[in-house]
Amino acid sequence: MTSPSRYLPAEERRTATVEAVVELAATGNPGDITTAAIAHHMNLTQGAIFRHFPTKEAIWQAVMAWVAERLLERLDRGAQGIDSPLAAMEAMFMSHIAFVAEHPGVPRMMFGELQRAEPTPAKRMVQTLIQRYGERLQALIERGKVAGEIDGTVDGDAAAILFIGTIQGLVMQSMLAGDVERIRRDAPRAFAIYRRGIGSSR
């Protein structure tokens, strides 16, 4: 259980609240997380939570912002300093896998948001995250074509969709199996197949 000081500065309290939601989502249905459950997890009152977030929706929006910032930062750090576009993509793939394994509540929340029919701020944030992720991938794919590592006929947009979709599939399999670590075991084999599919034959 998260036990932050009752006297944390406002920004630290907001971050601690977001992290509490991520922790709760790792072991339960995100849709069932209430402000009362968050407050209990943090050893606080609901009033203390609402001093920093006016609504539950505002908490969810902050959670999605936290996810987007940290995931993209992890991806960029993983690919940093790698000259080979394909190797950089593999590093991003494995960085994303590691992020999910460390924060299993994150995909639960993201899938939940994307299933909602109404356009919420949190849902729009997830959509923006996927768009920014795809742009990074397409840039690497184009670099890979120029470098001769990736087949010049590969559809960059489709390849980016497949990259993210492969990770989503691995996440679903690990969730169905109830084994978070399965994603780490399956990821190298899945990326090897993806790499052969887009790689240049020359």
Side-chain angles (χ1 to χ4, degrees):
M1 178 179 291
T2 304
S3 300
S5 163
R6 290 178 180 274
Y7 305 101
L8 287 177
E11 191 56 39
E12 289 184 33
R13 172 70 72 215
R14 287 175 59 85
T15 300
T17 303
V18 166
E19 291 173 348
V21 173
V22 173
E23 290 171 12
L24 287 167
T27 56
N29 179 2
D32 294 335
I33 298 174
T34 62
T35 51
I38 298 167
H40 177 74
H41 190 74
M42 298 176 70
N43 292 323
L44 297 172
T45 65
Q46 285 191 70
I49 300 295
F50 284 121
R51 277 198 292 274
H52 300 283
F53 296 96
T55 63
K56 182 180 175 182
E57 187 61 51
I59 297 175
W60 249 242
Q61 187 175 354
V63 170
M64 290 303 115
W66 182 94
V67 169
E69 179 183 346
R70 280 158 180 75
L71 177 57
L72 291 175
E73 179 183 288
R74 181 74 71 92
L75 297 176
D76 291 342
R77 191 166 66 243
Q80 188 174 11
I82 300 177
D83 293 331
S84 162
L86 262 179
M89 290 177 70
E90 182 172 8
M92 288 174 65
F93 192 94
M94 298 309 169
S95 293
H96 191 157
I97 293 297
F99 183 83
V100 170
E102 291 165 19
H103 305 289
V106 166
R108 290 172 179 267
M109 291 184 292
M110 291 182 69
F111 287 144
E113 280 302 315
L114 292 174
Q115 287 174 22
R116 294 176 65 172
E118 70 277 17
T120 66
K123 182 177 180 179
R124 287 194 295 270
M125 199 160 288
V126 174
Q127 292 168 333
T128 299
L129 165 61
I130 293 172
Q131 178 185 347
R132 292 171 64 189
Y133 195 155
E135 289 168 355
R136 282 164 165 77
L137 291 170
Q138 289 190 55
L140 281 171
I141 290 165
E142 292 309 310
R143 278 180 48 201
K145 291 180 181 181
V146 172
E149 291 186 357
I150 294 176
D151 189 319
T153 64
V154 164
D155 182 325
D157 182 52
I161 291 170
L162 182 58
F163 182 104
I164 297 172
T166 300
I167 294 174
Q168 291 171 336
L170 290 171
V171 170
M172 291 297 295
Q173 290 294 323
S174 68
M175 289 171 66
L176 286 169
D179 179 6
V180 175
E181 287 303 311
R182 173 175 174 168
I183 195 170
R184 292 189 195 268
R185 297 193 300 271
D186 292 345
R189 293 181 297 153
F191 187 82
I193 294 171
Y194 175 82
R195 181 172 186 148
R196 284 198 296 273
I198 68 170
S200 173
S201 58
R202 61 187 177 93

